[in-house]
Each structure stands twice: as C-alpha cells, then as structure tokens.
Amino acid sequence: MSLSRRRFLNATGWSTVGITFLSSCSSILPALPSTSDPVAENALYWFQLLPLGKVKFFCPRIEMGQGVTIGLSQIVAEELNVDFTDVECLTASTDQVPPFKMTVGSEGINKFWQPVAYGAAHMREALRGRASNIAGVEAETVNDDNNGFKLSDGDKIFYRDLVSDEPFFLKDTDMEENQNVELYSLQNSRKHHHVGHNRISSTMKSIVTGAEIYARDFKIPDMLFGHFFRPPALGANIKKINLNNIENIEGVIRVEKQIEKNVVAIVAKDPISLRLAVKEINVIWQLSRINTTELLERIDVNKVIKNNDLEHILVNKIDNKEFARNSKVIKSSYSTPYMAHASMETRAATAWVRQGKVEIWCGSQDPFFVQNRVAKLFGNDLQDVVVHSLRVGGGFGGRVLCQPAEEAALLSKLVGKPVKVEWQREDEFQNNYFQPPYSHLIEASVRSDGSIDYWQHDFASSPIITGPIPKSIAWVVDSFKADEGTARGSLNPYNITNQRVRYSDIRTEVPIGAWRGLGSAPNCFAIESMMDELAHKVEIDPLDFRLQNLSSDHVRLKNVLITLGKMISGLQKTHLPEKAIERDHGYGVACSIYKNQTPVAVAAEVDIDHSEQTIFIRKINCVQDCGTIINPQQVESQIMGNLVWGCSMAMKERITFEEGRVVENNFDGYQILRHDECPEMSIEMIKSKQPATGVGEAALAPVAAAVANAVFNATGKRVRNLPITYDDLL
C-alpha cells in the first residue's frame, strides 16, 4: 500500500486532513474481528524520525496492562541504536496505519517482534544512506553510534542532523533497496543494550497518579451523556415503559423509545441529570426461563456421548482397548463453570457523528473491528469512521467488542453532538460475553510400572473463537469448522499408545467469547487432574510420573519439569496423611504447553484449616520457558498475574443464571482472589535462545489443576469441579 508523503503526514498529526486505508464496507457479511497476521510492508507506517531526533512509534498493539508496548519499544530502540526514552510509543488511530491484528492470544511479541524489528532496521539503514550522502562517503564506512552514526575519521552524524522541518519516514524504495537488512534484536551473539533488560513504561507515573486517560476519562467540548436500558437478563424483551415524571428533570435532551426493537435510551447534558432520569424511568421486562441447571445439562458430556453427538475428533489412535492384565483403570468426570472477565475498568466510549463522518474514542482490543461494526451500523464506508484508541484497563479477551461505541454513535446521530456512554459494573457482568462451562469425561489406564496404556478424553463446551459470530451465519460456520479455541490445550503432552480425544462445541443462549487462554485452563484442569489420579493409583510421585510418561518430542517441557522438581525437592517427601488432622498441608503439580509453544510447570502448596473451614493456597512455584525474553521484569509480572488469576479460577470464580439474569453481577457476588488470599510466589524463567513465545496467558493453564491436586495430597479428597470449596471436602 503506497501513500504520498503529504497524505501520510496528514494522518499522523502534521495537518488536519484524514487518510484512507480502507475501501467500502458495503459487503453483506457482518463485521468480523481483525485476524490477519502482520506483514513486513505494514512497518512503513509505524515509524517516524522527528526533527529533534526522537522516534515516533505507532505501535500495532493495544496496551491493556500486559506491557507489550514496552517490549516492542525496546526492540525499536535496539534496532535504531537510540535510548529507550527517545522512543515515543503511540497507539495509532484507525486512519493512521493499516489494519493490524486484534490484540489477543499472547501474540504481541511472538508475532510482532520481527515485523517491528524489520521496520526499525529499515529506517536505520535508510538513515545510514542519508548520512553517507551528506558525508560523501560509502555507506559501508558509516558505523553505528548512539542516536546516529560515526564516520571513519571520528566525526559523528546524529539522527537530528538528518531531518529538517518535517519527520523522516520510510518509503517503498527504502524497503526494496535493503531487503536483506540486518536485525540486531534477533541476534543472540550480539550485545544487546535494550533486549533482555528491564525497562519501565513512560506512562507508569500517570497511571499510578490517576493522570492516564481511559475511555471514562475522555472529554470533549459540548459532550452529552447517554444511557441505554439494556436487557437485565438473557432473552429479555420490553413489555412496557413508564416515563413517569422525566419531563420535570432539567437537563434531559432526548428520550428514545422503540419497544419493538427492545430500545430505550436517554441523552442528558450531564451525568447527574442522566442518573436522575434513569432512576425515574421504569422499564418492565418479560424475562426468559433460562437457568444454570438447564444450560449445564445441554453441555453435559455424558448426555452428549449418550446421544452420539461428539462432533469433532482430535486424536483417534485406539489400536487395542483390551487393558493389560496388570493395568488399573480410572474413569472420572471434571467440570468448570461459566466465568466473567471482571476487568477493573468498565467500558465506555465517546462518539461524534457529523456530516456523515463518525469519530469514536474508546478502549478495545480491536479498534478496526469497532470501526467495521459502526460502519455497518450506519451503512458508511470504512473511511468515514475513525476510532481513536485509548488505553484499556484490563481486557483478558473481553474487550474485543466495545458495545458503548455503537450506542454512543447512535445517540450522537440522534442529537447531533458528541455523546459519551458508560457501562456500570452490572452491565459488564450481564451484557458482555462469558467463558463457557466445560464438561469432561476421561477414562485412562496405567500399568503397575507407571506407563499409561490407554486414554480417552471426551468433553463438551461452547464455541469460543466463533462464539460472537451472529446467529444468522453461525450455523454455516459450525457446519464446516470446529472451534479451535474450545479445544485449545486438550491434546496432552504424554506418550500414550492408545488414545482418543473428542469434543462438541454447543451453542446456547449465553453469549460466549474469548476469556484468558480460551480452553487451555479448563482442558488442562481435566488432563492434569487425571494424571494425578493415575500417579496416585500406582503410588508414583506425581512429578516423576509426568516425566516418565512425557513424550520425547517435548524436551523443553521436560527441562521445565526437572527445574520445578529442584525448586520443590523438599515437598516431594510429603505423603498423603492417613487421617485428617486439624490443619492439613499438601502440594500438587501440573504442567502444560500453551499453544504448543510455551511450556509451563506449576507446584501449589495448600493449607486446610478444619477449624475455620478454609482452604488457603500458601505458595505457588512456577517454571516457564518462553524463549528469548525482552523484558525480564515484565515477563515475571505477567507470570504473576497468571498465577493469581489461576488461583482465583480454582477457588472463587463462577457465574450462574436465574431466569436469564446473572446472579453474580458485581464484586460482592462474583468473587475474585483478594490481596490477603494471594499466595507467596516463586518464579523461574528458563534462559533460552529460542524465539520468543507467548507469555500473557501461558502460566494460567496449570494452576487450577495444581491446586486441586494439592488439596487431594493434603486431605485424600479428590475435587473434580471448580471452583473448590471447603464443602467439597466433607
């Protein structure tokens, strides 16, 4: 995609004229998330060298606390030989850069390291060429130096000397002339000044002092405030609307009623008037009869098996189901519940519709998806909708959609002014999508020598990756494609001769979408719980049992498990108590390979206090191999976040429905791990020269299984359903 200098400068803040990367959206297909991997050519639009020698980096990732902007900025600094503080990392608006893939799947470093390095390196070499022309020497004699170059005679040419009154940016010819550009950040033998070092985001101070601008903080002159009365339950429909005395509330601008479309909305001059109007209006809803019991029955794997409805076969290598004479057979069911994202920031958006153009300010994991949806909503060309991305206060897969952006745009069009819409906490829990429940049945047999000779794993859940697809085309997608997100992590890493893995992804009325790690944690919970049951059956230490059965293909996981064994060498002597005592203590292990890339092993220690009837996770030990590490401190922080989330999943989190209503619609009902419940954590990151792999979700998967296995080690009671409660031990 080639752009003139004028058009590119316009879009990146050097004048007020917009820029068009995208064409008409007149297709009859619904808007879909951005799923294309980055290509090197896109890097043309990610970098600018400013007149004072600073680097402007339009990062093709959305920052939501995972630190990807820090790591990618370190790569830019490494390639350009500049100080980290000289890189200004910005989140581009949709009219400033070509569409980039939604920020999901722990892909920020894994998929974007090389394209970012490629673009920054091309800029370095283009600047080297400019420096050689100025000095009148061959480019080969122009050597790297901090913030510029050094000539053979000792003279220096700084980057600031190479730009005049407008920024320098790459052109197509720069990429063509240096196709074999050297990537400094990818060279393991090279001494790195930024890659492998700790760096802190320049926004850290503004975050902790409350100065950072999130969607709820954004303001624009003459902005109004809007509210939609959203369904309080799944499948609810408006029966009646009583406006009461709303006409007496000063500041109410517009009330929109469309009962047939399930729409009631208000626009007011200020938040106080809006709250008063919302309180005054009484919307009577016809509720559905959807409840948790009925929903879970539909994905009960035993029922699915009975009806012969297991649609997808991942592995089918059953040579012989005749168990060996000395084999011990275990058949167990496991389950995980509906769960919410529960991010700290509730979503909000501001929209301004004027003269057929739409501007939106919001936080989303996929601003181009938001752009596409709003364009479809109004029948606009994509070029007429611009989304300005703001920092996201926690995503975890739940912020791909930004529903307030569409609501604000509709209201702005009605009143002709910018409108902000903010969701409340109850809206987040009721009206966002969820992690689906899982129902597992695993039958396995193990010989007395500890070798596993049979494994059949059947499970049922709902589509995750394709979950948000509109009902109008969902049946088409489901008819030819199994949902890979539902199945993520369901293939175990063990060497088992006879095994079969099957599953069904069943749609229900509950909106389902990405939740941290997708199916990796629920599937790992079942697999690693069964591994623990088998190990106990043949009285082999659980960690040794895993090492014994591990496939020879998984050398990195083997190394991770061995390292974990050294960390917990004292714990492995802990034996199952013969009888319950007043305060039990136990440990459990579990492991996984996230997306077949990042091996992780976890050991959990738990205390059971029978007098207080509590289960407390004392400590989590974790070993992870994520390949080359750009920012060790940031990676460790990500691992810690995963471990805490995993403990919360194991002990706390569950969504239930009553007549379609989410029962746990705020933090008093939807419990997450509190500060005083967080365990001590010990983390070891394997030093590796392998390519960088995902970190953001990797360590989550094995935690719940390790905790459940620790509970068994402490009490002799096997817990197979999450979340774990003390009542499960009775």
Side-chain angles (χ1 to χ4, degrees):
M1 203 179 313
S2 179
L3 295 174
S4 69
R5 175 182 294 269
R6 175 179 174 78
R7 294 176 70 202
F8 184 55
L9 296 181
N10 285 342
T12 54
W14 296 90
S15 80
T16 59
V17 181
I19 193 168
T20 300
F21 280 97
L22 301 167
S23 59
S24 172
C25 68
S26 58
S27 165
I28 62 171
L29 290 174
L32 298 174
S34 311
T35 57
S36 298
D37 287 337
V39 294
E41 290 75 13
N42 289 348
L44 281 169
Y45 309 102
W46 295 344
F47 305 99
Q48 292 180 10
L49 180 64
L50 304 185
L52 294 178
K54 301 285 186 179
V55 178
K56 213 177 213 183
F57 171 39
F58 292 94
C59 184
R61 298 282 80 197
I62 299 298
E63 182 59 68
M64 45 191 169
Q66 78 279 38
V68 65
T69 53
I70 306 172
L72 292 178
S73 295
Q74 288 177 250
I75 292 167
V76 174
E78 194 74 58
E79 297 293 345
L80 284 168
N81 298 309
V82 298
D83 295 335
F84 178 72
T85 53
D86 288 334
V87 179
E88 181 186 7
C89 184
L90 302 171
T91 302
S93 298
T94 55
D95 64 338
Q96 293 178 323
V97 295
F100 53 79
K101 190 175 187 179
M102 57 181 168
T103 305
V104 296
S106 304
E107 295 177 340
I109 301 300
N110 176 235
K111 287 191 179 294
F112 283 81
W113 179 332
Q114 191 157 337
V116 166
Y118 185 78
H122 270 289
M123 174 164 274
R124 180 192 69 229
E125 296 310 313
L127 291 167
R128 192 190 307 275
R130 180 172 282 199
S132 69
N133 290 336
I134 291 174
V137 298
E138 295 294 325
E140 291 77 12
T141 65
V142 179
N143 299 309
D144 294 326
D145 199 38
N146 189 43
N147 287 85
F149 304 101
K150 188 173 184 180
L151 305 179
S152 56
D153 61 4
D155 287 347
K156 293 185 178 181
I157 299 179
F158 293 101
Y159 286 151
R160 63 175 178 267
D161 302 324
L162 301 175
V163 288
S164 52
D165 59 344
E166 65 177 34
F168 174 83
F169 65 93
L170 290 168
K171 301 182 290 296
D172 290 333
T173 53
D174 295 321
M175 308 285 268
E176 294 167 1
E177 291 170 3
N178 299 290
Q179 291 185 359
N180 298 318
V181 65
E182 190 177 1
L183 302 184
Y184 294 171
S185 61
L186 289 173
Q187 294 177 0
N188 290 318
S189 59
R190 184 184 181 87
K191 181 181 178 181
H192 290 145
H193 300 285
H194 301 286
V195 171
H197 298 270
N198 293 329
R199 296 286 184 268
I200 298 175
S201 170
S202 59
T203 61
M204 187 62 69
K205 183 177 179 180
S206 64
I207 291 170
V208 298
T209 59
E212 185 73 7
I213 301 298
Y214 294 85
R216 296 178 76 87
D217 306 312
F218 181 79
K219 296 178 181 178
I220 195 170
D222 298 322
M223 181 176 71
L224 304 177
F225 296 82
H227 174 83
F228 272 74
F229 286 83
R230 300 170 195 92
L234 301 174
N237 293 298
I238 296 175
K239 288 177 61 179
K240 187 178 180 181
I241 303 169
N242 296 318
L243 297 181
N244 298 324
N245 298 314
I246 193 171
E247 69 274 3
N248 297 327
I249 299 175
E250 186 178 353
V252 174
I253 303 295
R254 177 85 178 246
V255 177
E256 184 71 15
K257 297 187 300 176
Q258 296 182 31
I259 294 180
E260 70 282 0
K261 294 183 179 180
N262 245 21
V263 170
V264 186
I266 311 172
V267 180
K269 286 184 177 180
D270 57 78
I272 295 176
S273 299
L274 184 68
R275 282 197 292 270
L276 290 173
V278 169
K279 189 175 180 181
E280 189 69 24
I281 293 176
N282 181 28
V283 181
I284 301 172
W285 298 85
Q286 175 68 52
L287 301 183
S288 69
R289 296 184 178 181
I290 301 170
N291 59 68
T292 304
T293 302
E294 189 269 335
L295 288 167
L296 295 181
E297 283 178 356
R298 283 195 241 167
I299 64 156
D300 182 351
V301 70
N302 293 290
K303 183 177 179 180
V304 173
I305 293 170
K306 183 179 179 181
N307 294 334
N308 197 28
D309 282 342
L310 286 166
E311 308 165 87
H312 314 299
I313 300 177
L314 297 173
V315 178
N316 192 17
K317 297 180 180 178
I318 303 296
D319 297 326
N320 179 18
K321 195 183 172 180
E322 292 296 324
F323 302 123
R325 185 173 297 175
N326 61 348
S327 289
K328 298 180 180 180
V329 181
I330 299 176
K331 191 173 185 178
S332 295
S333 296
Y334 310 91
S335 72
T336 59
Y338 287 103
M339 288 177 278
H341 299 88
S343 56
M344 185 63 70
E345 179 199 21
T346 55
R347 67 198 68 209
T350 301
W352 194 356
V353 181
R354 48 183 169 163
Q355 299 175 344
K357 307 289 184 180
V358 185
E359 276 192 279
I360 290 170
W361 293 263
C362 70
S364 167
Q365 292 173 241
D366 189 351
F368 293 96
F369 185 36
V370 175
Q371 178 196 38
N372 205 333
R373 285 178 64 93
V374 172
K376 290 281 185 183
L377 189 65
F378 290 152
N380 284 19
D381 286 347
L382 285 171
Q383 66 190 42
D384 294 331
V385 180
V386 178
V387 177
H388 305 282
S389 291
L390 302 171
R391 187 185 178 98
V392 180
F396 321 118
R399 298 294 290 272
V400 175
L401 277 172
C402 185
Q403 299 91 325
E406 299 165 41
E407 296 173 343
L410 287 168
L411 295 179
S412 177
K413 188 174 183 179
L414 281 175
V415 299
K417 288 189 176 183
V419 175
K420 175 186 281 188
V421 171
E422 301 176 341
W423 276 24
Q424 303 306 309
R425 184 67 60 190
E426 289 77 10
D427 296 318
E428 285 286 325
F429 278 105
Q430 179 66 54
N431 299 109
N432 197 21
Y433 46 86
F434 302 90
Q435 166 80 335
Y438 274 71
S439 174
H440 301 265
L441 180 65
I442 301 180
E443 182 180 30
S445 68
V446 58
R447 298 172 185 264
S448 57
D449 64 0
S451 58
I452 304 171
D453 55 6
Y454 176 75
W455 180 278
Q456 174 152 322
H457 181 186
D458 294 330
F459 63 99
S461 185
S462 295
I464 297 178
I465 293 177
T466 63
I469 288 178
K471 292 180 180 178
S472 58
I473 64 168
W475 67 274
V476 179
V477 175
D478 294 344
S479 65
F480 69 86
K481 185 173 178 62
D483 195 282
E484 296 176 0
T486 308
R488 181 173 293 173
S490 59
L491 298 180
N492 67 69
Y494 303 108
N495 184 29
I496 305 170
T497 303
N498 296 298
Q499 65 171 311
R500 178 185 288 130
V501 180
R502 306 177 298 179
Y503 76 103
S504 264
D505 43 357
I506 301 165
R507 292 186 186 270
T508 68
E509 295 88 343
V510 179
I512 298 298
W515 185 90
R516 198 170 191 174
L518 310 187
S520 60
N523 288 321
C524 184
F525 170 66
I527 292 168
E528 290 297 290
S529 293
M530 174 55 80
M531 287 296 293
D532 205 70
E533 294 202 48
L534 295 173
H536 176 69
K537 198 74 171 178
V538 291
E539 299 181 343
I540 297 177
D541 178 85
L543 195 146
D544 294 338
F545 181 73
R546 285 165 171 80
L547 284 169
Q548 176 183 337
N549 285 284
L550 192 64
S551 169
S552 59
D553 296 333
H554 299 303
V555 176
R556 293 173 68 190
L557 180 56
K558 179 180 179 180
N559 185 32
V560 163
L561 283 166
I562 290 172
T563 305
L564 181 69
K566 294 175 182 177
M567 291 178 72
I568 63 169
S569 57
L571 294 175
Q572 288 176 278
K573 305 303 181 185
T574 303
H575 296 291
L576 184 66
E578 293 181 3
K579 60 181 180 178
I581 56 177
E582 190 63 17
R583 188 177 183 87
D584 291 347
H585 176 78
Y587 93 102
V589 299
C591 63
S592 69
I593 307 176
Y594 177 72
K595 294 175 76 170
N596 298 316
Q597 297 175 342
T598 306
V600 186
V602 167
E605 294 180 63
V606 300
D607 288 328
I608 316 294
D609 191 329
H610 295 289
S611 61
E612 295 293 328
Q613 297 190 347
T614 58
I615 303 172
F616 180 72
I617 305 171
R618 176 192 290 187
K619 184 175 182 179
I620 298 287
N621 295 274
C622 179
V623 182
Q624 179 167 305
D625 180 354
C626 58
T628 303
I629 296 173
I630 295 176
N631 188 325
Q633 185 180 58
Q634 195 66 37
V635 171
E636 185 177 39
S637 295
Q638 282 292 284
I639 294 172
M640 290 176 69
N642 274 282
L643 299 181
V644 171
W645 188 298
C647 292
S648 188
M649 173 186 171
M651 306 298 300
K652 298 282 186 176
E653 299 187 46
R654 172 165 47 200
I655 287 287
T656 59
F657 298 91
E658 188 175 303
E659 292 189 318
R661 293 182 186 270
V662 172
V663 177
E664 303 80 9
N665 65 359
N666 210 316
F667 286 124
D668 58 340
Y670 190 80
Q671 295 293 310
I672 60 173
L673 211 68
R674 303 301 201 250
H675 280 95
D676 62 350
E677 297 169 314
C678 286
E680 177 189 349
M681 286 177 272
S682 181
I683 296 167
E684 184 156 342
M685 297 175 286
I686 300 293
K687 293 182 179 179
S688 173
K689 295 182 179 180
Q690 296 290 326
T693 56
V695 172
E697 301 167 305
L700 167 66
V703 177
V707 172
N709 294 338
V711 169
F712 173 77
N713 183 253
T715 65
K717 299 289 186 180
R718 178 68 63 182
V719 180
R720 299 185 177 92
N721 307 302
L722 297 184
I724 303 168
T725 68
Y726 184 84
D727 288 345
D728 294 324
L729 309 182
L730 301 180

